[in-house]
Amino acid sequence: MKNVGIKAIGQYVPKKVVTNHMLEKMVETSDDWITTRTGIKERRIAGKHERASDLAIHAARDALKKGEIDPHTIELIVVATISPDSNFPSVACLVQKAIGARQAAAFDVSAACSGFLYALTTAKQFVATGMYKNALVIAAERFSQIIDWNDRDTCVLFGDGAGACVIAPVLGNHGILSEYLHAQGHHSDIMSVIVEDLPPLDQEAKTMNRPYVEMRGQELFKIAVNSMAEAVDIVLKKAKVKKEEVACVVPHQANDRIITAVARKLSIPKDKFFINIHRYGNMSAASIAVALNEAVDHKHIRKGDNVVLVTFGAGLVSAASVVRW
Ligand code: ACO
């Protein structure tokens, strides 16, 4: 098996900024409530004609450009998303067409907020075994399309965006050192997107409500903290890396209070956690991809650093990875 590392990374977020104060005019909420309960100050929302594939294509182009990688050389495209343009074709196929990666295999992965790490780990297996020489891994969410904008419990939490990276074999003891994927399907009812239960040929049904997110936040909060801390312990042990040797933790950005609780549970100082939730809210699968890209760009991560990635999301699914940069 080959060692596999991240060769290039990029991101894209929509131009439109929606602040907490703007949400105050839409639902009964306040900047103070959202800030103190979540850490979020603003989020990006995609334009009317901007779909998940558009976000994914921009992020992919950014990663390819930064890594000076010719798209024609890409052999596999895996996109993590729970807000695709449509049921099919996959977002991965739309990316393939747009960037001209004609020889690539392409498919989507659905693992909610853990999607990026599920996609990264899946793609890594193909590259580690030598089946493909490289893979383009993207997380893209237009989460705003599955939000009920009258529901203050959920609409203040989420945003849209995309992150992308190219993985390939690396020499020496660096790259992706360990990974862990976990699922707790028995908790699937805690967070889901409700689709109306109508018979397909019901002549009475002239209109259907848009499917939207429902969530029991407090229950999720507790499980999130325990699952993320457990996942980090497991990947550190697998990678034989001690907590003191961790330079940076890039966690899923669902709630700043969740990150604080995970840091405390792990006894890893919170200042080692990269946080950008105040600017983007929870972008589901895209959160950790964008956070990782920004942590690298802002020099929070340097060559040789041990980086821990950890996510948690609806499913329920959790995932973690140790990457030596
Ligand atoms: N503005 C003002 N008040 C609000 C709002 C709002 N936007 N939303 C809820 N409230 C009210 C509630 O109605 C409640 O009022 P009450 O006391 O009169 O009943 C009060 O605020 C407290 O509500 P709680 O739900 O107890 O608030 P909590 O402190 O638990 O925070 C939150 C809620 C932010 C959702 C938190 O529980 C959380 O972050 N949970 C985890 C969510 C999560 O991680 N989701 C993403 C999973 S990842 C994925 O797969 C996409």
Side-chain angles (χ1 to χ4, degrees), residues 22-29 144-157 209-214:
M22 290 160 84
L23 290 177
E24 283 174 353
K25 298 190 178 80
M26 293 167 58
V27 288
E28 202 185 324
T29 190
S144 55
Q145 74 193 33
I146 48 171
I147 292 287
D148 175 355
W149 288 97
N150 298 308
D151 177 13
R152 70 173 184 176
D153 288 351
T154 51
C155 77
V156 302
L157 302 175
N209 283 336
R210 225 161 29 99
Y212 57 87
V213 165
E214 288 199 351

Side-chain angles (χ1 to χ4, degrees), residues 195-268:
V195 182
E196 269 187 11
D197 193 13
L198 286 174
L201 287 176
D202 185 348
Q203 297 302 311
E204 301 299 310
K206 296 271 191 287
T207 55
M208 279 180 75
N209 283 336
R210 225 161 29 99
Y212 57 87
V213 165
E214 288 199 351
M215 180 181 86
R216 300 202 297 274
Q218 282 195 351
E219 280 176 66
L220 259 181
F221 192 110
K222 286 176 206 146
I223 304 172
V225 174
N226 291 331
S227 302
M228 286 169 81
E230 188 187 5
V232 172
D233 278 332
I234 290 169
V235 286
L236 285 175
K237 205 169 163 192
K238 274 190 176 180
K240 299 189 175 59
V241 170
K242 298 194 190 96
K243 281 180 187 164
E244 314 80 78
E245 295 168 336
V246 172
C248 183
V249 182
V250 183
H252 175 46
Q253 315 275 320
N255 188 323
D256 186 58
R257 289 187 295 136
I258 292 180
I259 298 172
T260 303
V262 171
R264 199 173 295 140
K265 204 166 170 66
L266 286 166
S267 303
I268 296 178

